[in-house]
Amino acid sequence: EDHPYCVTCYEDIFANSCEECHVIIGTDSKDLSYKDKHWHERCFGCSSCKVSLVDKPFGSKNDRLYCADCHDEHFASRCDACNKVFKAGTKKLEWRGLTYHEECFICIICRVAIGTKAFVPKDDKPYCTTCYEDRFATRCTYCSKVITSGGVTYRGQPFHRECFTCAECNVSLASQRFTTRDDRPFCADCFGKLFAKKCSDCGQPITGIGGTKFVTFEDRHWHNECFVCRRCETSLVGRGFIVDGDETLCPDCGRPNW
């Protein structure tokens, strides 16, 4: 207010008290302030290691000042793997309530850093995809490679759809009917050609696949729909019939003409 003061009176009225030493900060000293608090330049230091904070980065906690190193050491969050602090700018990874440096989040088997790459959790442990597949993934019985999707099971054994094939022609059996012989799977066509009885009428295989019904008499066999009278073509299924050489006849057609 443009009133003249002697130095002593000015300091008594207007000077600030130092937070560290509690001595008036006189006109002959530099007054450093932070959050309405004041320090002599010589008193502006870290509360822990006492290093000067003049022109240096610092942090505060509970109204006390700390150099960057001490602030990190005492208050910064720590990696749950290595127990070292996360310095400013360091990327953190969080999983299952724990925090990791990127290089500390590793596969439980190969110990290679997973970082931000894909991984598979099992029993609260992280596995890289390679180790998980090696240890736990289902493998094809035929090619031993991992079955990543789909697949079929035959007699308790897993297969890729493309690996489960007919033992004769190698066509995939994943989406069609098949049957087995000596524990080997065959498509209907190959099984019929190789093993099935042949119909005495049409000559085609009688496979029995899909509930196919057939009739057997002595050493001859017929599909149900083929077992008909050779003369009138009436179905003989469930009826009496007469065998005349290679012919099967209904009782009416087989009756002698006197």
Side-chain angles (χ1 to χ4, degrees):
E1 298 179 0
D2 297 329
H3 295 300
Y5 294 90
C6 67
V7 171
T8 300
C9 290
Y10 180 87
E11 291 178 347
D12 287 343
I13 297 172
F14 300 109
N16 297 302
S17 178
C18 176
E19 283 291 319
E20 179 66 22
C21 68
H22 306 294
V23 175
I24 292 296
I25 303 173
T27 57
D28 59 343
S29 300
K30 183 179 291 187
D31 184 335
L32 301 181
S33 64
Y34 175 71
K35 290 187 176 180
D36 296 327
K37 296 182 179 182
H38 301 266
W39 291 263
H40 292 103
E41 185 174 18
R42 65 179 180 276
C43 295
F44 191 61
C46 173
S47 295
S48 181
C49 70
K50 307 305 181 183
V51 69
S52 174
L53 299 179
V54 177
D55 296 328
K56 294 180 181 179
F58 64 90
S60 65
K61 186 77 172 180
N62 301 326
D63 292 330
R64 303 183 70 185
L65 303 182
Y66 296 88
C67 66
D69 289 339
C70 288
H71 187 274
D72 284 346
E73 182 66 25
H74 293 306
F75 308 112
S77 58
R78 292 177 177 271
C79 173
D80 285 293
C82 70
N83 200 39
K84 293 180 180 179
V85 300
F86 291 98
K87 293 188 178 295
T90 302
K91 184 180 292 186
K92 296 181 182 179
L93 297 178
E94 294 186 3
W95 184 64
R96 301 284 173 94
L98 301 178
T99 309
Y100 301 87
H101 290 108
E102 188 171 0
E103 64 272 15
C104 293
F105 187 56
I106 60 177
C107 171
I108 195 68
I109 299 297
C110 67
R111 316 303 292 177
V112 171
I114 295 172
T116 57
K117 295 181 290 187
F119 69 96
V120 183
K122 184 175 176 62
D123 300 329
D124 290 332
K125 296 175 182 177
Y127 295 82
C128 68
T129 53
T130 300
C131 288
Y132 180 85
E133 289 179 354
D134 287 343
R135 178 159 292 200
F136 302 110
T138 301
R139 293 184 175 273
C140 175
T141 302
Y142 177 76
C143 70
S144 299
K145 294 181 180 179
V146 171
I147 300 174
T148 57
S149 63
V152 296
T153 300
Y154 171 65
R155 295 194 173 181
Q157 299 297 317
F159 294 84
H160 290 109
R161 293 177 65 85
E162 61 272 19
C163 291
F164 185 57
T165 60
C166 172
E168 180 67 16
C169 69
N170 291 322
V171 68
S172 174
L173 300 177
S175 58
Q176 65 170 296
R177 297 180 302 170
F178 67 93
T179 191
T180 62
R181 181 76 171 231
D182 299 328
D183 290 332
R184 302 170 68 203
F186 294 87
C187 67
D189 289 343
C190 288
F191 185 84
K193 292 174 184 177
L194 296 172
F195 310 112
K197 300 176 177 65
K198 300 296 191 294
C199 177
S200 296
D201 181 65
C202 70
Q204 295 301 309
I206 302 173
T207 63
I209 295 175
T212 301
K213 295 181 179 180
F214 61 96
V215 176
T216 296
F217 177 72
E218 295 180 347
D219 59 349
R220 299 167 68 185
H221 314 279
W222 296 266
H223 294 105
N224 264 22
E225 62 271 21
C226 295
F227 190 51
V228 298
C229 175
R230 296 291 292 172
R231 294 181 185 175
C232 69
E233 298 187 350
T234 300
S235 174
L236 300 178
V237 176
R239 299 180 59 191
F241 59 93
I242 297 170
V243 176
D244 184 9
D246 290 335
E247 293 186 332
T248 50
L249 306 172
C250 67
D252 291 339
C253 291
R255 186 178 299 121
N257 293 319
W258 303 109

